[in-house]
């Protein structure tokens, strides 16, 4: 049995759908029973805040957003997986995760380090930015950042799900970390131009200094100043980082090329009207 945590998120839903269609035995972890009913598969009600409520199967997919107890609770779930003989863990991390890194990279880095030391067969997925995050960022025809001309290999979360599906349903291989990207690295200005063409209305990227972006994140998203500054500094570092490097991992593991931004927009243009 394959246990899928984060089953109601964009990655989890796509993964559950693939597993259901394949006939695989799957158990989805959800916070509320009605969410499980919507997924159309067997489900258990629980969450990472109560590690004992996370079911264990033969294989385990770990995926959840960071919160204050993220690291400790994930470690407890991993330790339970060891004790109960889980044969493989596939975990969603972030690009460049390492203990002490800024933002969620540090939290994921601690969890990843614990998983690597656990002795469990594992695959750690390190995706770059999600295409599915773009609708939340665009408001009134504008989105903001401090990327400069930096390029990012945004990935469709359905491709992350496809990679997880391949790993969870194939033979358990050697433990590895997989960097996942889309097929091209785009600057924010190019993304704005493609959104404009696909949506039939003008979308503009507004590039800000680190100081301006820090204030913007505080005011628009209610971030604490320290977190907002870390975000702005991370964006500003993109031109000199690995975010623009494209990998062939999605195609190597799934047999199909990753979806392009055009592919994503063809299916999800309506999301930008919300």
């Amino acid at each position: 049995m394959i246990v899928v945590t984060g089953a109601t998120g964009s990655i989890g839903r796509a993964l559950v759908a693939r597993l259901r269609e394949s006939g695989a035995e799957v158990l989805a972890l959800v916070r509320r029973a009605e969410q499980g009913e919507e997924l159309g598969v067997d489900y258990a009600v629980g969450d990472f805040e109560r590690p004992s409520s996370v079911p264990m199967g033969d294989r385990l997919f770990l995926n959840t957003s960071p919160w204050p107890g993220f690291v400790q609770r994930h470690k407890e779930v991993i330790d339970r997986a060891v004790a109960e003989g889980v044969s493989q863990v596939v975990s969603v991390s972030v690009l460049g995760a390492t203990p002490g890194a800024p933002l969620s990279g540090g939290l994921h880095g601690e969890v990843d380090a614990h998983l690597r030391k656990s002795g469990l067969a594992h695959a750690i997925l390190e995706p770059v930015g999600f295409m599915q995050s773009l609708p939340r960022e665009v408001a009134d025809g504008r989105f903001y950042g401090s990327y400069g001309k930096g390029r990012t290999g945004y990935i469709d979360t359905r491709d992350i799900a496809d990679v997880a599906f391949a790993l969870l349903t194939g033979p358990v291989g050697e433990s590895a970390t997989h960097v996942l990207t889309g097929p091209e690295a785009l600057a924010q200005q190019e993304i704005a131009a493609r959104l404009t063409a696909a949506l039939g209305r003008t979308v503009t990227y507004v590039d800000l200094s680190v100081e301006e972006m820090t204030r913007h994140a505080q005011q628009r998203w209610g971030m604490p100043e320290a977190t907002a500054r870390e975000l702005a500094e991370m964006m500003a570092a993109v031109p000199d980082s690995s975010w623009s490097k494209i990998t062939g991992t999605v195609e190597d593991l799934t047999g199909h090329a990753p979806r392009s931004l055009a592919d994503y927009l063809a299916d999800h243009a309506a999301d930008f009207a919300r």
Side-chain angles (χ1 to χ4, degrees):
M1 180 176 69
I2 299 170
V3 174
V4 177
T5 69
T8 59
S10 59
I11 300 172
R13 283 185 181 274
L15 175 58
V16 167
R18 286 292 312 274
L19 291 168
R20 184 184 65 237
E21 292 166 2
S22 74
E25 185 181 7
V26 56
L27 182 68
L29 181 68
V30 296
R31 288 181 177 271
R32 301 186 305 278
E34 58 267 28
Q35 294 175 315
E37 297 294 337
E38 291 173 2
L39 293 172
V41 298
D42 291 337
Y43 64 89
V45 176
D47 56 60
F48 279 86
E49 294 177 8
R50 297 173 291 134
S52 62
S53 70
V54 178
M56 295 290 142
D58 178 55
R59 300 191 184 188
L60 177 62
F61 178 70
L62 293 181
N63 182 35
T64 187
S65 300
W67 83 97
F70 178 89
V71 172
Q72 183 56 38
R73 296 297 179 256
H74 268 73
K75 288 181 177 181
E76 292 175 28
V77 170
I78 290 168
D79 291 344
R80 282 191 56 225
V82 172
E84 299 194 26
V86 172
S87 65
Q88 182 194 37
V89 172
V90 176
S91 180
V92 179
S93 183
V94 296
L95 183 65
T98 187
L103 301 175
S104 64
L107 301 179
H108 279 290
E110 291 187 54
V111 172
D112 295 349
H114 191 74
L115 179 56
R116 291 185 179 107
K117 293 176 182 178
S118 70
L120 288 165
H122 63 267
I124 297 172
L125 309 184
E126 290 193 352
V128 295
F130 298 165
M131 294 178 188
Q132 278 75 1
S133 68
L134 292 173
R136 294 193 300 272
E137 295 178 14
V138 176
D140 300 324
R142 296 170 180 259
F143 63 109
Y144 299 80
S146 50
Y147 295 97
K149 299 294 184 180
R151 295 177 174 272
T152 300
Y154 283 94
I155 186 169
D156 191 312
T157 55
R158 292 173 294 180
D159 288 321
I160 303 171
D162 287 347
V163 168
F165 174 84
L167 292 168
L168 290 164
T169 58
V172 176
E174 294 186 7
S175 295
T177 298
H178 304 283
V179 176
L180 308 181
T181 74
E184 57 186 343
L186 299 171
Q188 303 299 308
Q189 295 84 350
E190 292 172 313
I191 292 172
R194 297 193 186 189
L195 289 174
T196 296
L199 302 179
R201 56 186 172 85
T202 301
V203 176
T204 304
Y205 168 65
V206 181
D207 196 57
L208 304 175
S209 68
V210 168
E211 291 296 334
E212 291 169 333
M213 188 61 205
T214 298
R215 290 194 296 272
H216 178 80
Q218 288 179 271
Q219 295 166 3
R220 180 170 176 180
W221 298 318
M223 286 185 176
E225 181 179 2
T227 303
R229 182 170 295 279
E230 283 188 339
L231 174 63
E233 290 175 346
M234 183 192 73
M235 290 177 173
V238 163
D240 300 317
S241 73
S242 59
W243 284 56
S244 65
K245 295 179 181 177
I246 298 302
T247 72
T249 308
V250 170
E251 186 163 9
D252 291 343
L253 293 177
T254 68
H256 69 73
R259 295 167 176 87
S260 67
L261 181 60
D263 295 330
Y264 165 73
L265 290 172
D267 295 333
H268 294 278
D271 294 348
F272 289 84
R274 296 175 185 173

